[in-house]
Amino acid sequence: MIEVIKGTFIIVGALFMLLASLGILRLPDLLTRMHATTKAAALGVILVMLAVAMHFAEVGVVARAFAIITFILMTAPVAAHVIGRAGYFVGSKLWSGTVKDELKPNYDPLTHELKSGLETEANAARQPKNTDKP
């Protein structure tokens, strides 16, 4: 029974990694490609590492497999965020079907400064309101 579980983990993990590679080829822009590869590839690697830990069932190998899983879980989202942010800052074109660009009102492309949403709301609150009635 354990052989079936290990085989299933390896096959499903490999399928997720294949799905990630197809996402790179098929998706329209950097942000959607990055999202697909980060999620699918991380899950694929985690499943394969679980199969490795089950197969060898030695303390050293299991510890290394779980260290790899922890490393992937901690670094994949951070790396995706950094890549996406860098792509946005250098002017990577968004997909034409993108509905909302939440960074646009907060990002100054000349100085490359990004203001937080709280700063933008505070500045908007300080602006005098037009009370003239027509």
Side-chain angles (χ1 to χ4, degrees):
M1 181 67 187
I2 198 83
E3 298 295 324
V4 172
I5 295 171
K6 290 188 299 190
T8 302
F9 279 172
I10 290 174
I11 297 288
V12 173
L15 287 175
F16 272 107
M17 287 187 255
L18 176 65
L19 184 66
S21 65
L22 290 176
I24 291 173
L25 297 174
R26 300 283 302 158
L27 292 173
D29 68 347
L30 172 74
L31 299 178
T32 54
R33 288 179 190 145
M34 174 208 53
H35 177 77
T37 56
T38 301
K39 306 297 183 205
L43 183 57
V45 169
I46 289 168
L47 290 172
V48 170
M49 285 295 109
L50 286 174
V52 166
M54 290 173 65
H55 177 74
F56 289 103
E58 296 175 8
V59 175
V61 175
V62 172
R64 287 184 188 113
F66 279 105
I68 291 170
I69 290 170
T70 303
F71 181 76
I72 294 291
L73 287 174
M74 289 181 2
T75 59
V78 174
H81 177 79
V82 169
I83 292 169
R85 189 171 173 157
Y88 188 86
F89 288 171
V90 298
S92 177
K93 298 291 182 197
L94 295 177
W95 175 46
S96 61
T98 300
V99 177
K100 188 173 185 179
D101 183 2
E102 293 184 2
L103 285 179
K104 191 172 187 175
N106 299 324
Y107 176 64
D108 183 6
L110 298 175
T111 62
H112 297 291
E113 290 181 0
L114 183 63
K115 297 177 184 169
S116 71
L118 298 175
E119 291 174 14
T120 305
E121 290 173 8
N123 289 338
R126 284 188 224 136
Q127 296 294 328
K129 294 184 177 163
N130 187 0
T131 56
D132 296 338
K133 294 188 180 184

